Structure formats: C-alpha cells, structure tokens
Amino acid sequence: MEKLIEVKNLKTYFYTEDGVVKAVDDVSFSIEKGKTLGIVGESGSGKSITSLSIMRLVQSPPGKIVGGEVLFHGRDLLKIPLNEMREVRGNDIAMIFQEPMTSLNPVFTVGRQIAEAVMIHQNCDKKKAWEKAVQMLSLVGIPNPEKRIKEYPHQLSGGMRQRVMIAMALSCSPELLICDEPTTALDVTIQAQILDLINELKERTGAAVIMITHALGVIAEVADDVIVMYCGRIVEHADVHSLFKEPLHPYTQGLLRSIPRLDQNDEKLSSIPGMVPKMTQMPDGCPFHPRCHCALDICRQVSPEAFPVRGRMVRCLKYHPEYEQQWKEEAAGE
Amino acid sequence: MSNAQNAPLLEVQGLKKWFLVKKGHFGRPDRYVKAVNGVDFTVGAGETLGVVGESGCGKSTMGRSVMRLIEPTAGTVRFDGVDFTALSPQELRKRRADMQIIFQDPFASLDPRMTVGDIIGEPMDIQKLHASRAEREEHILDLCQLVGLDHDYLKRYAHEFSGGQRQRIGIARALALSPKLIVCDEPVSALDVSIQAQVINLMEEIQQKRGVAYIFISHDLSVVKYISDKVAVMYLGKIVEIAPKNRLYDVAAHPYTQALMSAIPIADPDHGRRRIRLEGDLPSPMNLPTGCCFHTRCPYATERCAQEEPELKLVGENHYCACHLTVG
C-alpha cells in the first residue's frame, strides 16, 4: 500500500528557562491510506506535540521543530512555505481537538464556522458553502441540520459540538484526519457514538486517521497500528493485536496492567511506581529506568535505540541482540 | 444504641435537590433543575457504594447533598443513627468529622497559599482535635506515612506537586478526622492511568486498615467495578438500578445500564461484541420527560413508559431496578 504520510526522525524541542525540553525526540512512523494509527501515552509524553508538529502548529517560541521530515505524498511539509502549508491545513490534513467547548468560536454560528473552511479551501461561493455545511451536519448525525446550523456553540451539548468539529474537519474531505483526544471530554455513550462515526466516515471516504488518546480501550477499538510514547519517544510500535496480546516494552506492560478490567476480579491492581520524570531533568540511560520493574545497571547507562523485535519496533535493551547476553547475566546476578 | 448495630451507617431516603432557575411571575410556576429527584440508598460500615452515570445525571450533587454541602430540598439522611438533615449548623459541623469528601480536581481543591502540613492539619484545628502542637504534628506525620507522602513535603506548597501527589494530600486531609464515611467525587478522573492505579490501590488499602466506607462517584465504569461492593446507576437525578457489583455487571436489568455497559471501550482488540447504541442526548433536567425519564432514548420503550413512572423494585438478590419491562 502507498504510504500517505511518513514522519522521519521528527524532533521538536522547547526552549524554556529551565532548559531544553525534548518534547518530541526522534519520532518516526508512517501511515497507509485508509488506516488508523493510534498514539497512546500519559500527559506530557509528547503525543499532542507530535501531531501539532505535523501541522506545523507548534507555538514558536518556545517550541521549535529542530529536525526531521514529514513527507506527505512525498513532499516535505516542514520545508514548504507557510502559504502552501495553509493550503494543506484543513484541506488535505484536518484536525479535531480535545476540547469541543474551547475550539469553536463562541461568537459565530456553527454554520458560518463550517462554511468558512469550505469557502477558503474549495473556492466556492457562500450559498454553496452553506449547503455543504448543512450536508456535513446531517452526515455526522445531527438532527435538524437546517435549524442547528444557525445556532451558536453554547446552544449545543458536548457531543453535538464534537460532531460539529468533526463535520468541520471533514468538510473538505481531508486525506488525513488527526484526532487529538476526541472523546476525552465526553460520556461513554456519546464516546461510543463518536468513535462509531469516525470509523464509519473513514470507511466511506478512505481517509487515514491518527487517533491520539490516553485511553487504551479507545485505541483497541479503532486503531490498526499503535505507537506507545514515553517522554517524547516511541517506546513501542506494533500492530494493535500483537500489542494488546503481548506487550513487549515494560512501560506498555505496566500501562495495560494498570487499567481495571471488567473481567477482572478482586486481585490488586498493578501500578507503575513513581511518576513521569521532569522533562528538563531526564535521567541518564533509558528514561523509563527509574520506574521500570526489570531495570538493570546497563539501563542506567545506555539509552536504547528503537530496533525491530518480532515484527515491531521496541526501545528496550531487554530485547536488543547486542545487550541481550549482558542483560541475562546481570539479571541472573541480581 | 442497640438499634444502630444493625442499621446501616448511612441511610438516604427520598433525597431531592432542585435548583431554582427561574422564578415564576403572575402565577406561573417556578422552574427548577431537578438535579437529584428522589433517591434512596444505604451504605454499610466499611462498604463501598459506587455511583455511575453520565455528566449531568446528578451524581455529584447527590454526593454533596448527602453531606449537606448543598442543602437538600427534601428527603432524610440518617448517618450513624442521627438525622443529618435536622441538625443545626453547629451540630452539623461537629458531626461532619465523621463524613469527609475527596474532590475531583486536585488542582482546585487545595489552597495554594497553605503548606501541605497546614492543609492536612486544618480539619484537626477546626474540630480542636489536639491539645498540643506536638500531638498535632505527630498525627500529620502518621497520615503522611499512611498515604505515602514524604515528610519533607509538609513545608511545601500544593503547586509544587503533581496531580497524583495532590490527590494523596486530599486523601490525607479527608482522613485527618478518622471519618466513618468518605464521599469520593471522581477522585481519579484527572489522573493518568499509571497514577490512577496507585491512588485506587491506596484507597483500597486505607479501607482495609481503617474500615472507612466510601461513596465512590465516577463516570468510569471499570474503575467503579474494581473498587465497589455495590453500584448505583443514575440517570437524570434518579437511581435506575442498584445492585451488588457482580450482579450489575453480569446481569444488568435496566436498558440504560445495559447500554452503558456495552459502550465501555474494552482494551482488547479481539473482543467482539454488539454495542447497544443510544440515540440522541440526555434530555434537559429542566424539562424532564413524562413517565420513565429514560423512555426518550430507550430502544424498548412502550406506551406505558411514556405515561407511568416506574418504581425501584426487587428483581434479584439485593438487586433493584426501576423499569416496567423487567420482571422480578
């Protein structure tokens, strides 16, 4: 399959008073047409900054994309002039943000906000754009679209607003849809509706989706491939089935074990000890070693690279062929 | 007090909280948001009642009305043999030592101008628990140990801590007066998953050590299942189903509970299942539907559901459900 977008060694750093924060550190992945890539990680892991970097929406200063490539149809989005980038945003790549309450403009009707994007990108007149807006609203399942289109965001419920956001994002039939925590602020029944909707629309339009979330359940439902991020780096990249069946990285294992499951009975919930290190004071070696249950001396010294293990990419010395022997010896010694 | 031995720790009957939104003039009726509209439940000593429901279903208002942080409009709250709703403000303040609360937002619920030590010590000062400063200090240190906070933290301010640690401070504060019941209003919703598990384990541990009862309010059904003994499902200010947790999660009787259960995303991509899709949004609590409040979204609704309001009735062992279509 053709690769729609390819991110290579992306690095986004923030220059703060306390030092340089490597929010995205050497992140690479690619997505094929019609596929969904899930990005999971806890707050501060760099998952949102990754998507903002693709769109070149990172606030600068303090943020700066310091390296890497974002190839969209073979064209490096990081190198094209800003006015061309503006054509790409909203038209080829669209984004849905987490907060449906704050990402809509409160002083314009939802119809005007959808029509605005259509008019800018599709070069059509106002009347056509409004027709398109009505059509989009009914596509995302809003009842009475002709009436709703004249309403302001505050008149709509949270689920409705998120539907409006999706309608707006899809109005120019983007090839790539980036969803940044699209259901976090919503209730489970509404979340189920929105996830179904995104899946349905993906199938109909053949768009690729990047789904960013901290909820592993959501990932399991929608993603084909999954990236697990920790401290700005990808620690594991695998297809969704093998990731959930047999997580390799200790962090992924910890994450999966720390969510209460419905089929689980009263055994103690296992948790990952400690917390995410401060981004300005990253530990030496593997960033996860202070919280890792199987960290050894070698992990405190060597920062692992990502390398292929059993058909996926993992960033853990435990699986590295070069260190495997050393790791086993140390483990036996302890 | 021999009677109190068998009576549950907390007994809530017909609790209502209506918020006035518009005064009716010229004989027009006043308009209310019926946030909590008649709930009954009991919590035993050392027991955990989970309360689930979507936003706006009244679960937080319910938790606060039980404590009289919000004055309930109607109903009685019997706690430890005393009618809470009839207490004078002075008596209430004394009695509240036995009933504490942990809030959802660990960033907003701690005073930024107080040190951690003062935050944890404040309830002791209010209740005049300790005669000497040394005693108070020792108690604070004990609490820190219990919730896993470092002793050096006591002189620092809340903003220096992460969400998980702040929630530990909130828990220590709630435990300061050794309460018999703690209302936990979404205590882990703002936390990352790995930290969430730490806090849930801590709360379980404390329950085992101290025998405290919890009312655990959350929208996360997996977390509620994990921590609760029995679970109440709320919809538009009413409890639609209440049952021991395994019964509720295995044989949910109410169509709303079933839909809620089927909507939970499961962290297993090979898990095949049928999702019951609820259409539409929650009706406004200002304009409650007639009859069963769920009938507008219920896939099985009949004529009767639109007219007659169902009562909670026994459908299994300790399992109550308010639906015309379930048979006991």
Side-chain angles (χ1 to χ4, degrees):
Chain A
M1 272 294 261
E2 191 197 337
K3 278 177 189 161
L4 178 68
I5 188 164
E6 203 175 353
V7 175
K8 283 184 187 168
N9 308 97
L10 183 70
K11 288 179 185 176
T12 305
Y13 293 176
F14 283 77
Y15 296 89
T16 68
E17 276 177 23
D18 299 331
V20 180
V21 172
K22 297 179 177 177
V24 178
D25 194 10
D26 205 5
V27 163
S28 307
F29 58 85
S30 62
I31 308 170
E32 289 165 9
K33 270 187 187 159
K35 294 278 182 194
T36 300
L37 174 78
I39 304 184
V40 264
E42 298 181 275
S43 21
S45 61
K47 50 193 196 308
S48 291
I49 301 296
T50 303
S51 63
L52 289 176
S53 302
I54 294 174
M55 297 286 268
R56 283 173 67 184
L57 287 173
V58 177
Q59 196 182 2
S60 176
K64 196 172 177 225
I65 300 172
V66 294
E69 287 177 324
V70 177
L71 300 175
F72 184 73
H73 285 303
R75 188 162 65 134
D76 189 355
L77 294 185
L78 300 182
K79 297 219 170 62
I80 60 175
L82 262 183
N83 56 348
E84 277 179 46
M85 189 64 212
R86 214 168 280 144
E87 293 279 296
V88 173
R89 285 182 202 142
N91 204 16
D92 299 328
I93 307 178
M95 193 156 176
I96 302 170
F97 297 92
Q98 174 173 4
E99 294 272 330
M101 326 294 156
T102 53
S103 34
L104 289 169
N105 191 332
V107 300
F108 295 122
T109 60
V110 295
R112 178 167 166 174
Q113 294 185 57
I114 300 173
E116 184 191 13
V118 179
M119 279 183 331
I120 290 171
H121 290 299
Q122 310 278 306
N123 249 340
C124 56
D125 58 27
K126 199 171 161 187
K127 196 166 158 257
K128 269 227 177 83
W130 275 80
E131 276 167 19
K132 177 87 183 170
V134 172
Q135 198 189 326
M136 289 316 296
L137 282 187
S138 69
L139 183 73
V140 295
I142 291 185
N144 284 328
E146 294 85 3
K147 189 176 141 250
R148 289 294 189 176
I149 203 157
K150 291 181 200 125
E151 290 186 0
Y152 290 87
H154 75 265
Q155 291 168 292
L156 306 174
S157 67
M160 288 280 197
R161 283 182 229 181
Q162 199 56 290
R163 280 165 197 270
V164 169
M165 288 296 295
I166 294 174
M168 199 187 296
L170 291 175
S171 59
C172 300
S173 329
E175 291 174 81
L176 176 66
L177 181 65
I178 302 177
C179 311
D180 189 357
E181 307 256 9
T183 58
T184 306
L186 306 176
D187 286 313
V188 271
T189 57
I190 310 295
Q191 165 173 295
Q193 289 174 6
I194 298 287
L195 292 181
D196 282 351
L197 175 69
I198 292 175
N199 269 344
E200 237 173 77
L201 296 173
K202 188 186 87 170
E203 260 157 47
R204 196 181 307 176
T205 59
V209 176
I210 296 182
M211 177 70 74
I212 298 169
T213 175
H214 66 272
L216 288 152
V218 171
I219 290 285
E221 299 229 328
V222 300
D224 299 302
D225 281 303
V226 185
I227 286 175
V228 182
M229 288 189 74
Y230 187 75
C231 288
R233 299 175 181 199
I234 297 178
V235 293
E236 188 160 357
H237 183 173
D239 74 276
V240 70
H241 296 281
S242 34
L243 187 92
F244 280 90
K245 200 170 278 165
E246 189 203 10
L248 290 182
H249 197 284
Y251 177 63
T252 321
Q253 292 170 353
L255 268 189
L256 280 173
R257 271 203 300 255
S258 57
I259 39 171
R261 303 175 79 105
L262 286 179
D263 51 8
Q264 173 189 37
N265 280 320
D266 299 314
E267 68 254 40
K268 202 169 152 83
L269 212 55
S270 76
S271 59
I272 306 176
M275 48 192 168
V276 182
K278 269 210 188 105
M279 294 295 272
T280 45
Q281 297 161 7
M282 290 293 268
D284 291 335
C286 171
F288 187 58
H289 87 254
R291 304 177 74 190
C292 183
H293 62 95
C294 47
L296 296 172
D297 271 344
I298 179 98
C299 303
R300 291 176 195 111
Q301 291 148 17
V302 183
S303 172
E305 291 299 313
F307 52 89
V309 185
R310 288 175 236 169
R312 47 182 130 162
M313 300 298 282
V314 181
R315 223 185 242 267
C316 177
L317 292 181
K318 200 174 160 183
Y319 305 99
H320 198 289
E322 203 173 304
Y323 298 102
E324 217 176 4
Q325 196 51 38
Q326 201 175 343
W327 204 88
K328 272 185 191 147
E329 276 164 25
E330 264 200 60
E334 265 193 15
Chain B
M1 289 296 274
S2 62
N3 218 353
Q5 290 290 311
N6 311 329
L9 179 67
L10 177 77
E11 199 175 351
V12 174
Q13 269 175 356
L15 188 72
K16 283 185 184 174
K17 177 65 206 178
W18 293 4
F19 293 101
L20 181 69
V21 279
K22 206 171 177 194
K23 194 99 185 113
H25 294 293
F26 308 114
R28 283 193 208 127
D30 294 349
R31 295 189 67 188
Y32 293 96
V33 166
K34 297 174 181 173
V36 179
N37 201 10
V39 300
D40 311 276
F41 63 88
T42 59
V43 183
E47 193 181 42
T48 304
L49 169 74
V51 181
V52 292
E54 299 180 272
S55 32
C57 72
K59 52 192 193 305
S60 290
T61 309
M62 193 271 287
R64 284 163 201 223
S65 312
V66 166
M67 293 194 70
R68 279 183 70 190
L69 283 177
I70 302 173
E71 281 298 328
T73 312
T76 55
V77 177
R78 281 191 83 76
F79 179 67
D80 211 10
V82 179
D83 186 357
F84 242 55
T85 37
L87 292 178
S88 71
Q90 292 80 9
E91 285 171 312
L92 177 66
R93 175 170 262 213
K94 240 184 243 159
R95 283 276 168 187
R96 274 220 192 108
D98 287 335
M99 202 199 267
Q100 293 287 311
I101 184 166
I102 304 169
F103 296 96
Q104 169 173 14
D105 189 347
F107 295 86
S109 56
L110 302 177
D111 190 328
R113 287 179 296 184
M114 283 165 81
T115 63
V116 172
D118 285 338
I119 289 173
I120 301 175
E122 194 184 24
M124 304 174 195
D125 303 341
I126 291 171
Q127 299 284 348
K128 303 194 175 60
L129 203 62
H130 298 300
S132 75
R133 224 184 144 69
E135 233 177 278
R136 177 180 182 267
E137 289 303 304
E138 197 182 327
H139 191 182
I140 294 174
L141 288 178
D142 276 353
L143 287 168
C144 280
Q145 186 120 34
L146 183 68
V147 301
L149 282 173
D150 217 61
H151 290 177
D152 313 338
Y153 291 173
L154 290 176
K155 294 271 175 286
R156 288 161 65 180
Y157 292 87
H159 71 88
E160 299 174 55
F161 298 98
S162 66
Q165 280 173 315
R166 281 177 206 225
Q167 213 50 304
R168 283 173 199 267
I169 299 170
I171 293 173
R173 173 175 64 183
L175 286 170
L177 300 168
S178 319
K180 295 179 178 145
L181 175 77
I182 300 182
V183 176
C184 315
D185 190 359
E186 306 250 13
V188 295
S189 316
L191 308 177
D192 272 322
V193 265
S194 70
I195 309 297
Q196 172 179 302
Q198 291 173 7
V199 173
I200 293 173
N201 281 337
L202 173 69
M203 291 181 64
E204 291 255 273
E205 226 178 274
I206 288 168
Q207 186 165 51
Q208 278 159 17
K209 277 190 201 154
R210 298 280 185 102
V212 53
Y214 292 133
I215 295 180
F216 193 96
I217 299 167
S218 177
H219 65 273
D220 187 330
L221 289 107
S222 322
V223 170
V224 165
K225 164 148 196 227
Y226 181 75
I227 202 162
S228 309
D229 297 310
K230 59 180 181 185
V231 178
V233 181
M234 284 188 75
Y235 187 77
L236 286 176
K238 287 213 152 95
I239 291 179
V240 295
E241 188 164 8
I242 182 165
K245 71 165 170 199
N246 286 329
R247 264 202 77 89
L248 189 83
Y249 282 76
D250 294 341
V251 284
H254 199 280
Y256 178 64
T257 316
Q258 291 167 359
L260 212 54
M261 298 288 168
S262 78
I264 310 171
I266 307 256
D268 178 4
D270 302 319
H271 177 92
R273 65 169 157 167
R274 255 189 60 235
R275 194 183 269 159
I276 306 167
R277 254 174 96 160
L278 285 185
E279 295 301 328
D281 288 319
L282 213 60
S284 151
M286 248 167 85
N287 259 322
L288 291 181
T290 55
C292 171
C293 53
F294 186 57
H295 86 264
T296 51
R297 295 171 81 194
C298 181
Y300 315 109
T302 62
E303 195 85 347
R304 185 179 170 206
C305 301
Q307 284 147 15
E308 199 182 318
E309 197 181 322
E311 294 285 319
L312 267 182
K313 60 182 179 214
L314 198 66
V315 293
E317 204 188 344
N318 289 325
H319 184 169
Y320 296 84
C321 173
C323 178
H324 290 309
L325 302 167
T326 47
V327 212

